[in-house]
């Protein structure tokens, strides 16, 4: 047909906007040159199966079991902390303050600068507004109310970490985006100018507003469309200011030390640590995908590895409580983190979503706030000393989602 586009560009034009874009041109050439790209895909530092293993029949029995479906959702509205502009405008006394917004979204104020990790303000982590895992609590503070952010850091391109409506809103600001190699193609399609992108391979560093940001290895995978070609990288991140250092795990399986020096949490810690605070993924795990997400016990082990093998700093558990993405009970990651911290003698922070805290402060939150909101009552896995419901203002969340609303990580997250 005269004047029509060839088939491939026409199909690409029909691709849903939420799927993003495939890397091409100079970006694709850079990907092909990466030492972490081989056999047509990005490779994990330690081998990892990226699709569910085991019997899918047995998985379905577990996933659709009535009682277990009930426990995957809160039994009462989840509280959120009504973060105020005045709180966010007041500089942290120590120079470091973290605000967990739910799931893996964290606002980090570090040495006079503001870093926003994996911001997801959308109602669903899905390519479609009408289907997919729905938020179990409201966002604690409107995105526009956060004020200026110096840099947005993205760990990888799964829907619960890279959110189309959030990125499009941030594209209208002057913030810089630090992303793993290949992810910039998505952002450019959504309106982020190329000059505001810092696109890094593992172990590359960029400087933004006086902060040093390094993309470090992770054990996961990528993909937003139907093919999941592994053409975009996934990463954990180290952010260092003049006085403080923090680590965000993104999504990852546990990375053990190996005799050949393969990338591990211990090697990241040896090169970049120790850290004042780590933000570690401890939710959405399953025996059906054991190599791409960590359990709370593995998350604690990762934190200790990053700190040279000894308790140090503060660990903030992330990637839980906001979306129903796995078969485990909603509160299990929190309880497991408390238990692991007690056993290790490691300080952890347990803020209500939206509650700002300074990791080194004596009043950093450490109460198991979720226990009154568990369907059927909590299964307490730790000493009761942390069990008090935190004091202070708490805003109610929405009504709990219907049992079984969430979805397993079939698309990836």
């Amino acid at each position: 047909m005269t004047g029509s586009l060839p088939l491939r560009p026409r199909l690409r034009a029909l691709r849903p906007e939420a799927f993003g874009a495939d890397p091409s041109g100079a970006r694709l050439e850079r990907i092909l040159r990466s030492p972490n790209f081989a056999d047509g895909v990005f490779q994990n530092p330690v081998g990892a199966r990226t699709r569910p293993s085991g019997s899918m029949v047995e998985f379905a029995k577990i996933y659709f079991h009535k009682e277990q479906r009930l426990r995957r959702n809160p039994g009462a509205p989840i509280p959120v902390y009504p973060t105020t502009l005045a709180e966010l405008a007041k500089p942290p006394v120590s120079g470091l303050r973290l605000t967990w917004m739910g799931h893996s979204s964290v606002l980090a104020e570090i040495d006079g600068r503001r870093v926003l990790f994996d911001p997801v303000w959308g109602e669903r982590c899905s390519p479609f507004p009408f289907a997919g895992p729905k938020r179990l609590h409201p966002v604690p503070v409107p995105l526009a109310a956060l004020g200026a952010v110096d840099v947005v850091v993205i760990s990888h391109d799964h829907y619960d970490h890279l959110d189309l409506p959030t990125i499009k809103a941030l594209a209208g600001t002057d913030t810089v985006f630090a992303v793993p190699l290949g992810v910039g193609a998505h952002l450019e399609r959504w309106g982020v100018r190329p000059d505001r992108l810092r696109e890094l391979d593992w172990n590359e560093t960029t400087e933004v507003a006086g902060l040093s940001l390094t993309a470090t290895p992770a054990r996961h995978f990528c993909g937003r469309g139907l093919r999941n070609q592994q053409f975009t990288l996934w990463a954990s991140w180290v952010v260092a200011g003049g006085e403080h250092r923090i680590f965000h795990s993104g999504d990852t399986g546990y990375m053990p030390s190996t005799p050949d020096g393969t990338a591990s949490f211990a090697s990241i810690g040896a090169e970049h640590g120790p850290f004042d605070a780590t933000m570690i993924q401890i939710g959405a795990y399953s025996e059906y995908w054991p190599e791409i997400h960590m359990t709370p016990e593995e998350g604690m082990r990762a934190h200790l590895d990053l700190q040279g093998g000894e308790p140090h700093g503060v660990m903030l558990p992330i990637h839980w409580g906001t979306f129903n993405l796995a078969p485990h009970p909603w509160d299990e990651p929190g309880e497991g983190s408390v238990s692991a911290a007690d056993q290790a003698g490691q300080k952890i922070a347990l803020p209500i979503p939206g509650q700002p805290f300074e990791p080194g402060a004596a009043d950093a939150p450490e109460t198991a706030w979720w226990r009154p909101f568990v369907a059927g009552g909590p299964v307490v896995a730790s000493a009761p000393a942390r069990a008090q419901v935190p004091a202070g203002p708490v805003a109610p969340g929405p009504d709990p989602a219907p049992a079984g609303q969430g979805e397993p990580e079939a698309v990836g997250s």
Side-chain angles (χ1 to χ4, degrees):
M1 186 183 301
T2 304
S4 65
L5 291 171
L7 178 61
R8 186 176 297 274
R10 276 187 288 158
L11 291 175
R12 190 179 299 124
L14 295 174
R15 181 176 181 169
E17 185 180 25
F19 281 11
D22 293 327
S24 60
R27 177 178 284 113
L28 180 58
E29 292 176 6
R30 187 178 167 204
I31 289 170
L32 297 177
R33 294 194 304 268
S34 169
N36 303 303
F37 191 87
D39 300 324
V41 296
F42 276 111
Q43 302 288 329
N44 271 300
V46 182
R49 182 183 176 92
T50 60
R51 286 304 179 205
S53 59
S55 167
M56 290 299 99
V57 173
E58 291 302 316
F59 176 80
K61 288 180 181 178
I62 293 171
Y63 192 75
F64 292 106
H65 185 272
K66 182 177 181 180
E67 182 178 345
Q68 295 197 28
R69 289 171 64 197
L70 178 66
R71 291 300 304 274
R72 287 200 298 271
N73 292 280
I78 301 174
V80 294
Y81 187 92
T83 312
T84 66
L85 293 177
E87 284 179 290
L88 295 176
K90 185 177 179 180
V93 174
S94 65
L96 177 62
R97 181 167 59 206
L98 303 179
T99 306
W100 179 51
M101 298 296 179
H103 203 57
S104 294
S105 302
V106 182
L107 174 65
E109 297 165 270
I110 175 171
D111 299 337
R113 300 299 182 183
R114 309 176 91 225
V115 182
L116 187 57
F117 290 97
D118 283 356
V120 174
W121 260 249
E123 189 64 20
R124 296 181 185 270
C125 51
S126 167
F128 309 110
F130 53 84
K134 189 176 182 180
R135 178 176 290 280
L136 299 176
H137 64 78
V139 176
V141 59
L143 187 62
L146 285 183
V149 173
D150 294 288
V151 56
V152 172
V153 175
I154 303 297
S155 65
H156 63 297
D157 69 359
H158 285 158
Y159 291 98
D160 58 326
H161 297 260
L162 180 61
D163 180 54
L164 169 62
T166 304
I167 296 301
K168 293 190 77 169
L170 290 167
T173 70
D174 293 328
T175 189
V176 171
F177 293 81
V179 302
L181 183 56
V183 174
H186 299 316
L187 271 62
E188 284 190 34
R189 182 180 182 188
W190 299 337
V192 177
R193 299 194 314 269
D195 64 324
R196 288 167 51 203
L197 287 172
R198 306 290 186 270
E199 202 163 348
L200 306 185
D201 204 342
W202 287 341
N203 302 312
E204 291 183 342
T205 300
T206 188
E207 302 287 330
V208 178
L211 297 177
S212 170
L213 298 101
T214 303
T216 45
R219 192 182 184 193
H220 201 56
F221 67 112
C222 67
R224 293 181 71 85
L226 300 177
R227 292 179 295 167
N228 283 1
Q229 290 183 299
Q230 302 289 76
F231 264 54
T232 62
L233 191 59
W234 49 95
S236 56
W237 287 87
V238 170
V239 177
E243 300 293 333
H244 296 90
R245 289 175 175 268
I246 57 178
F247 174 85
H248 189 285
S249 71
D251 274 3
T252 180
Y254 180 70
M255 296 187 296
S257 298
T258 57
D260 62 0
T262 301
S264 66
F265 290 113
S267 63
I268 294 172
E271 183 170 356
H272 300 285
F275 299 97
D276 299 282
T278 67
M279 295 153 273
I280 304 289
Q281 172 263 306
I282 51 86
Y285 50 82
S286 171
E287 62 184 284
Y288 291 92
W289 50 84
E291 298 169 337
I292 56 171
H293 279 175
M294 293 189 290
T295 66
E297 294 76 16
E298 289 172 324
M300 179 55 65
R301 195 185 316 159
H303 170 88
L304 296 174
D305 287 353
L306 289 161
Q307 306 290 32
E310 299 292 335
H312 181 81
V314 176
M315 173 182 159
L316 171 63
I318 61 171
H319 201 264
W320 77 285
T322 302
F323 298 105
N324 181 343
L325 299 174
H328 61 65
W330 169 73
D331 60 315
E332 187 176 278
E335 294 294 348
S337 296
V338 170
S339 179
D342 286 343
Q343 292 179 34
Q346 170 62 52
K347 184 176 178 61
I348 60 172
L350 301 171
I352 301 168
Q355 182 179 9
F357 71 96
E358 299 190 32
D363 61 352
E366 56 178 12
T367 57
W369 58 267
W370 57 85
R371 288 180 179 162
F373 310 99
V374 176
V379 177
V380 179
S382 60
R386 299 179 190 265
Q388 302 91 357
V389 177
V394 175
D399 291 336
Q405 161 186 276
E407 298 178 2
E409 300 199 334
V411 176
S413 56

